[in-house]
Amino acid sequence: MQIEGQSALVTGGGSGLGAATAVALARAGARVAVLDVDAAKAAAVAEEIGGLALAADIADGAGVDAALDAAEAAHGAPRIVMNIAGIGAARRVLARDGTPTPLTDFESLVRVNLVGTYNVLRLASARIARLAPLADDERGLILMTASVAAFEGQVGQHAYAASKGGIAAMTLPLARDLAQFGIRVVTIAPGLFRTPLTDALPDAVQASLASTIPFPRRLGHAQEFAALALHAVVNTHLNGEVIRLDGALRMAAR
């Protein structure tokens, strides 16, 4: 599928990997709707690229449906859906005194990262399925975002790893499920990237993180994630796959 002229939706588009992807799509000629739980951040990116700003919690069915209504009214139903929104946290299952972590910590991560990703996919795919097919009978692409933590979660990352592991695990069955409608599903599992979160860390900590990456020995750039996301759009044979983007990183236990 060619990008130019297509309608696209980017969740988590207000910052980091999502913002870089929204910018890249707009430069490639897509009409981009930027969705973020932070309305001000979505508005700033949308203004930069001449796109549409939308605010919603990705795990809220009614909120996402309303956002998709607005995107469709402005640009047409999105054929390109970049599911990038997510949160992260680390906490051991037992504190030093043996107290178990609150269940809400686990629930909140799974709700946003896994349930929210699925919620956007289920609602967006219903709209894409109604569109006329393009070349190869393709109707659209839904990209999801996992993490290397899905495979090598570190100490304290059990909730985050579970949420991202769920995304990785459902990639192939979702691709098989949506194949009848000409909708592809691809997941990127990024490693250590420069984002507003890592930029806030001291230089020494950033250097320490970068030293764990075999090559290139630096944190990933958001534009590199965006480049792979855009390649997934144009390479129609790419489907049902989880792609690691990590510089050959394999996470240690801690």
Side-chain angles (χ1 to χ4, degrees), residues 37-54:
V37 71
D38 188 321
K41 289 182 177 179
V45 174
E47 182 177 4
E48 176 187 349
I49 65 175
L52 174 69
L54 302 168

Side-chain angles (χ1 to χ4, degrees), residues 102-197:
L103 182 59
T104 51
D105 288 1
F106 187 92
E107 289 176 330
S108 63
L109 272 169
V110 172
R111 177 183 180 274
V112 174
N113 293 349
L114 182 56
V115 176
T117 293
Y118 180 77
N119 184 45
V120 172
L121 178 140
R122 74 180 183 92
L123 294 172
S125 62
R127 294 166 187 259
I128 297 172
R130 295 195 293 265
L131 297 173
L134 304 172
D136 290 326
D137 290 328
E138 181 183 20
R139 286 187 169 86
L141 166 77
I142 299 176
L143 182 135
M144 305 188 294
T145 308
S147 164
V148 295
F151 315 106
E152 300 124 24
Q154 295 184 297
V155 168
Q157 283 191 322
H158 53 274
Y160 183 70
S163 68
K164 294 299 189 176
I167 292 172
M170 68 181 181
T171 301
L172 180 58
L174 285 172
R176 288 170 165 170
D177 194 328
L178 293 174
Q180 62 182 311
F181 300 106
I183 301 171
R184 294 184 292 120
V185 180
V186 175
T187 293
I188 299 176
L192 298 174
F193 272 71
R194 287 199 63 175
T195 64
L197 179 62

